[in-house]
Amino acid sequence: MTPITLGEVSVARVVEIDRSFNRTLDMLPGSTPEAIARHDAWLRPHFFDPAVNDLGSRIQTYVVRTPRHTVLIDTGVGNDKTRAAAPAWHLRQGSYLDDLRAAGVTPDQVDMVLCTHLHVDHVGWNTRLVDGRWVPTFPRARYVFVGPEWEFWKWESQSGREASGCIADSVAPIVEAGQAVLVDSTHVVDPWLALEPSPGHTPGHACVRLTTSAGTAVFSGDLMHRTVQVAEPQWSSKFCYEPGRAAETRRAFIERHADSGVLVLAAHFPRPGFIVSEAGEHRFTPTAEGF
Ligand SMILES: [Zn+2]
């Protein structure tokens, strides 16, 4: 896939899984087939997956190379993880690390891993299984987690309420290895990358803003799951911790970025693009070039 170049920074992506096993109607409990179909004119073909007759979805990592750092934003599901509740993720043997290499990055070249939040499909490749132990996949990397997000999920995990097991196998081992950097949700990473709080989906969810000499992009994590939410921001996902707050955060984000020229790279959207105002509503329009 062709990276997007923004001035002195390049952005590539590695798609780990090219489809969701959650259908949009199930993922967004407030949606209806009729209400989704009203947006067909702009959702198709770019954001549609005809093989499953549903909106497209990805699980992917964005690879950002600034003049100073090679950064991964979110790390997917991972290999070898016990995910009994999700057959498509259970004990996976995917080609993620080969695909990362094909994008020009070996594990020891990664300087930093940023997790927008600590859900199971965003932390998986933080670790890999070596001789029966979960070890950091990226041996030199600092892993940046929002402190309150970690505290929340640590407690959920210890009290047995985090059902997937991802905190125990993909986050706690990073902390124990001394590679976690706990920050607040306004943390400035380097002259190009900074976190921005976007709570609701999870308590400490953060977006990552990229500022370059040739424009701005924002990695919005799970602030939105399906492109149709750009027009229907009141539809929160069934995985949102505080659906009402998630909707407020989403609506403010969409209004802020509409017609701004800021490139939006959502964790699960099939393509990056721009929020625009058309026909009295907000829509998402894909980038002309680049992955
Ligand atoms: Zn997600």
Side-chain angles (χ1 to χ4, degrees), residues 34-52:
E34 299 74 28
I36 295 170
R38 277 200 283 114
H39 303 290
D40 261 359
W42 62 271
L43 290 171
R44 295 172 191 250
H46 302 296
F47 306 122
F48 204 76
D49 183 348
V52 289

Side-chain angles (χ1 to χ4, degrees), residues 37-223:
R38 277 200 283 114
H39 303 290
D40 261 359
W42 62 271
L43 290 171
R44 295 172 191 250
H46 302 296
F47 306 122
F48 204 76
D49 183 348
V52 289
N53 194 34
D54 195 7
L55 296 177
S57 184
R58 304 281 184 272
I59 293 176
Q60 57 200 342
T61 292
Y62 292 109
V63 181
V64 184
R65 274 174 276 201
T66 75
R68 204 170 290 175
H69 295 122
T70 295
V71 179
L72 305 185
I73 299 179
D74 290 332
T75 63
V77 168
N79 275 5
D80 299 305
K81 311 259 156 141
T82 302
R83 302 288 183 251
W89 299 354
H90 184 59
L91 302 176
R92 265 183 68 78
Q93 297 299 314
S95 59
Y96 179 90
L97 289 180
D98 291 335
D99 298 336
L100 188 63
R101 272 188 200 94
V105 180
T106 59
D108 62 349
Q109 289 173 327
V110 175
D111 298 304
M112 205 175 305
V113 175
L114 304 181
C115 293
T116 58
H117 62 298
L118 300 181
H119 270 171
V120 59
D121 53 327
H122 296 257
V123 300
W125 276 103
N126 285 358
T127 58
R128 63 192 178 97
L129 192 60
V130 177
D131 298 331
R133 287 182 53 239
W134 296 110
V135 303
T137 304
F138 308 104
R140 290 181 43 253
R142 286 175 286 149
Y143 289 68
V144 176
F145 304 140
V146 171
E149 176 81 355
W150 158 243
E151 293 297 332
F152 174 80
W153 288 110
K154 182 171 66 171
W155 173 247
E156 292 289 293
S157 178
Q158 287 171 352
S159 60
R161 285 195 297 266
E162 199 291 302
S164 80
C166 76
I167 299 302
D169 62 34
S170 304
V171 184
I174 301 299
V175 177
E176 286 156 14
Q179 286 180 240
V181 182
L182 301 176
V183 302
D184 69 35
S185 55
T186 59
H187 177 70
V188 175
V189 173
D190 67 12
W192 298 273
L193 292 166
L195 303 188
E196 291 184 354
S198 44
H201 180 58
T202 63
H205 186 284
C207 295
V208 184
R209 185 163 298 262
L210 168 66
T211 307
T212 79
S213 62
T216 302
V218 60
F219 301 88
S220 57
D222 278 4
L223 186 138

